[in-house]
């Protein structure tokens, strides 16, 4: 990578939205201004970049957004960016606006696109991990995960009230097509009887046994958290039907928490994380770094290779899985 003097930086949000993205945009914009650089916002991710939907931002443009969910830059998925022609258009738009470097706030898909783009055009890029799934390798937490897990826990708490009033068994599906972090955190915090995640296939019999055990131990209601991508049943409804058929003593209900997990104002943790990562992303670019991701490891902000973020699946913390059985005794 040729080292260039960076004067104009652009920032975008891409892929799935996550609460706290606005706080990250704000931090990138404000730190660029602080370091006397010009900063541009690109709307609608790679799609907007290809279409040239780019605007010069000032520090004031990001006033009053730290507390807002969603993203003021909008986000999108772009099939065209997957093609060399699409990426060439994207590059031409950056050059036309004299932009020297790009900050992408998004998930692993966005990072994959960013890496290919950076290699093709020798263009400086830094990624900021933002996804409620928390599945980006190399960082303990991604922006949005803490807010989404708190939203899920609030919903679980409410369902617990009705579950215990009626002596019911609830299967609650939380988001996470490929990763069980949201299920694990919200399940432990919500006092779930069992937590089913895609990373671990324990089989339906083990679930039946654990529910039988809890009935024997005197529990009259239970909550089972199921990650969207879990494969114990065909889907959460199928799973609930199977359990109802085999454990006649239970009256079973299903709740899918759904998209409310993506929205809402970000928690303090997500705002602070987004602020720290946004500042570090700009500092890393100005320091001549590229094809890196800024992350959070053991309460420190780190800068690590983009390769690490996309090459390996992030492992779930085994200790969290191990304590579920103890906590449900
Ligand atoms: P997320 O960033 O939340 O994981 P996606 O997986 O949908 O979201 O990725 C966002 C966008 O990144 C895609 O719509 C596409 O434009 C771009 N992208 C993802 N993978 C690639 C790839 N292999 N090559 C080029 N662009 C990609």
């Amino acid at each position: 990578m040729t080292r260039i003097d960076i004067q104009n930086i652009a920032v975008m949000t891409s892929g799935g939205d996550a609460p706290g993205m606005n706080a990250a945009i704000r931090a990138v914009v404000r730190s660029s201004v602080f370091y006397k650089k010009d900063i541009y916002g690109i709307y609608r991710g790679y799609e907007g970049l290809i279409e040239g939907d780019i605007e010069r931002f000032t520090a004031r443009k990001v006033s009053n957004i730290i507390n807002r969910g969603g993203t003021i830059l909008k986000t999108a998925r772009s099939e065209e960016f997957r093609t060399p022609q699409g990426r060439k258009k994207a590059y031409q738009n950056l050059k036309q606006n004299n932009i020297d470097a790009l900050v992408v706030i998004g998930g692993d898909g966005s990072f994959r696109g960013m890496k290919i783009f950076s290699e093709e055009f020798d263009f400086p890029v830094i990624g900021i991990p933002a996804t409620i799934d928390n599945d980006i390798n190399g960082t303990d937490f991604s922006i949005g995960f803490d807010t989404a897990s708190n939203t899920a826990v609030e919903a679980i708490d409410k369902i617990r009230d009705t579950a215990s009033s009626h002596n019911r068994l609830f299967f609650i599906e939380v988001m996470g097509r490929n990763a069980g972090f949201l299920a694990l955190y919200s399940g432990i915090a919500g006092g779930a009887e069992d937590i089913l995640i895609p990373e671990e296939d324990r089989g339906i019999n083990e679930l039946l046994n654990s529910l039988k055990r809890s009935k024997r131990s005197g529990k009259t209601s239970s909550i089972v958290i199921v990650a969207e991508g879990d494969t114990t049943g065909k889907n959460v409804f199928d799973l609930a039907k199977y359990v109802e058929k085999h454990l006649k003593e239970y009256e079973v209900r299903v709740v899918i928490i759904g998209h409310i997990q993506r929205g809402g104002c970000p928690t303090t943790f997500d705002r602070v994380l987004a602020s720290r990562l946004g500042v570090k992303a700009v500092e890393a670019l100005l320091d001549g770094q590229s094809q890196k991701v800024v992350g959070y490891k053991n309460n420190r902000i780190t800068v690590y290779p983009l390769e690490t973020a996309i090459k390996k699946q992030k492992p779930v913390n085994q200790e969290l899985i191990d304590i579920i059985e103890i906590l449900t005794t």
Side-chain angles (χ1 to χ4, degrees):
M1 149 122 279
T2 337
R3 180 140 187 199
I4 55 152
D5 193 17
I6 288 169
Q7 184 51 42
N8 301 325
I9 300 171
V11 59
M12 68 157 75
T13 47
S14 169
D17 66 317
M21 279 181 157
N22 278 328
I25 295 168
R26 172 181 178 269
V28 170
V29 170
R30 296 260 165 102
S31 37
S32 298
V33 174
F34 179 85
Y35 288 114
K36 309 222 169 339
K37 306 296 168 188
D38 290 344
I39 177 76
Y40 292 79
I42 298 169
Y43 289 94
R44 295 177 293 115
Y46 295 129
E47 193 174 271
L49 178 56
I50 289 170
E51 289 170 19
D53 199 355
I54 302 172
E55 183 186 326
R56 173 86 191 273
F57 270 30
T58 61
R60 293 290 74 73
K61 177 84 184 175
V62 291
S63 296
N64 303 319
I65 66 165
I66 193 165
N67 54 325
R68 282 166 58 189
T71 156
I72 60 158
L73 285 174
K74 313 277 182 188
T75 182
R77 296 197 158 93
S78 164
E79 277 315 304
E80 207 181 342
F81 196 75
R82 292 178 188 271
T83 67
Q85 297 88 325
R87 293 193 294 273
K88 185 146 188 235
K89 277 194 219 162
Y91 178 70
Q92 283 163 346
N93 282 330
L94 288 171
K95 282 286 112 183
Q96 231 166 46
N97 287 278
N98 293 318
I99 292 164
D100 310 307
L102 179 63
V103 176
V104 175
I105 304 166
D108 62 334
S110 302
F111 288 178
R112 256 181 220 112
M114 180 174 86
K115 183 160 191 293
I116 293 167
F117 178 79
S118 173
E119 282 167 358
E120 267 173 354
F121 299 100
D122 192 20
F123 199 87
V125 292
I126 296 276
I128 300 181
T131 159
I132 64 163
D133 291 345
N134 203 33
D135 58 349
I136 295 175
N137 193 45
T139 183
D140 292 344
F141 293 105
S142 295
I143 296 167
F145 172 70
D146 187 65
T147 305
S149 47
N150 276 289
T151 303
V153 170
E154 245 178 71
I156 295 165
D157 287 349
K158 287 181 177 152
I159 293 162
R160 175 178 291 286
D161 289 346
T162 176
S164 65
S165 304
H166 284 280
N167 296 346
R168 277 179 184 153
L169 166 63
F170 271 85
F171 281 86
I172 305 176
E173 184 189 279
V174 300
M175 280 185 166
R177 244 172 285 165
N178 306 304
F181 296 98
L182 197 49
L184 267 180
Y185 270 72
S186 62
I188 289 173
E193 195 54 40
D194 215 330
I195 303 169
L196 307 180
I197 57 173
E199 292 89 338
E200 204 207 20
D201 185 11
R202 296 182 10 250
I204 189 97
N205 283 333
E206 184 142 349
L207 172 67
L208 288 181
N209 287 339
S210 106
L211 291 171
K212 276 183 198 154
R213 262 199 313 275
S214 80
K215 200 72 179 171
R216 276 200 304 273
S217 74
K219 293 184 187 175
T220 54
S221 65
S222 285
I223 284 168
V224 175
I225 301 298
V226 185
E228 200 180 352
D230 178 70
T231 52
T232 310
K234 261 191 268 159
N235 56 49
V236 68
F237 292 103
D238 181 65
L239 193 65
K241 234 187 242 161
Y242 186 90
V243 169
E244 200 161 39
K245 194 166 145 207
H246 288 84
L247 295 177
K248 298 251 184 275
E249 59 271 42
Y250 274 114
E251 194 187 337
V252 185
R253 292 287 184 274
V254 173
V255 174
I256 295 176
I257 301 181
H259 278 81
I260 62 163
Q261 290 162 99
R262 286 195 176 278
C265 60
T267 57
T268 304
F269 181 88
D270 272 334
R271 295 183 203 194
V272 174
L273 178 66
S275 300
R276 293 172 79 185
L277 294 180
V279 171
K280 194 65 174 184
V282 171
E283 288 178 345
L285 276 177
L286 298 182
D287 195 32
Q289 304 209 58
S290 176
Q291 295 189 24
K292 298 276 166 63
V293 169
V294 286
Y296 176 88
K297 203 94 197 150
N298 304 324
N299 201 25
R300 284 206 171 172
I301 300 302
T302 60
V303 181
Y304 65 97
L306 190 44
E307 187 100 352
T308 308
I310 57 182
K311 276 276 149 72
K312 242 181 71 193
Q313 193 181 355
K314 181 177 173 183
V316 282
N317 185 342
Q318 188 59 42
E319 180 239 356
L320 292 181
I321 295 176
D322 293 342
I323 64 172
I324 299 167
E325 195 184 341
I326 298 171
L327 295 173
T328 53
T329 302

